[in-house]
Amino acid sequence: MKLYNKMLVGIGEKSLKCFSPKGELLYVASSFDKMKGRLPKDHHFFVGLTGDRTFSRYGVVKKINDPLSVHDLVKLDFKSRNLSIPNLAEVDLQPYERFLEKVNSFPEHTPLATTWIEKGVGILEKKKELRVHKVFFRDLTKEEKMELFGFELNS
């Protein structure tokens, strides 16, 4: 089973609608998760996996001390939703694996967001899909970016 040594974590910056504490593991919010406030059209958010699923509009890629497998991420997600851990053979692991692969494709300290994009051709064939992608924060100075995203994990 493949292990991943990077994960998306919270930055704890309320002014950016990032309410998950700094360093908390994040995953894409489910359709049952709710966020206070509004986001631009087609934007989505992440939720914390170790607390009470606190929402964050952005996260940052960090190397983690204890690598995660897809099964570990599934267990964290179900536990954070107060659901019993399912038989992993019955869970669609693809979204979790795609998420971990995408996060691990970016260098450490890269801020990420998630948005809905339409795929397909024609009106009837279009479907919405969540995409995790890099965010540039052009209005922040290099020092501000380093302060927000350049922290080291202490666990």
Side-chain angles (χ1 to χ4, degrees), residues 17-82:
K17 294 187 179 181
C18 297
F19 294 95
S20 294
K22 188 180 277 192
E24 181 176 21
L25 301 180
L26 299 178
Y27 183 63
V28 178
S30 73
S31 59
F32 300 107
D33 291 305
K34 300 296 179 215
M35 180 176 168
K36 293 178 188 171
R38 294 182 137 315
L39 289 176
K41 185 180 181 205
D42 295 332
H43 283 234
H44 198 56
F45 58 100
F46 302 104
V47 290
L49 294 177
T50 54
D52 57 356
R53 292 183 74 84
T54 309
F55 64 87
S56 283
R57 184 172 178 189
Y58 308 106
V60 65
V61 176
K62 293 291 174 183
K63 288 184 181 173
I64 52 177
N65 294 333
D66 298 321
L68 282 174
S69 69
V70 172
H71 291 162
D72 296 332
L73 182 56
V74 170
K75 289 175 186 174
L76 284 170
D77 185 37
F78 274 75
K79 184 178 177 185
S80 71
R81 291 192 276 166
N82 294 321

Side-chain angles (χ1 to χ4, degrees), residues 109 141-152:
H109 311 305
T141 66
K142 193 173 189 177
E143 293 78 23
E144 290 171 324
K145 289 178 188 177
M146 197 60 198
E147 186 178 327
L148 272 175
F149 311 121
F151 64 89
E152 296 298 323

Side-chain angles (χ1 to χ4, degrees), residues 98-110:
R98 279 195 308 265
F99 176 79
L100 286 171
E101 286 175 357
K102 188 69 165 182
V103 168
N104 278 264
S105 72
F106 289 103
E108 189 175 22
H109 311 305
T110 303

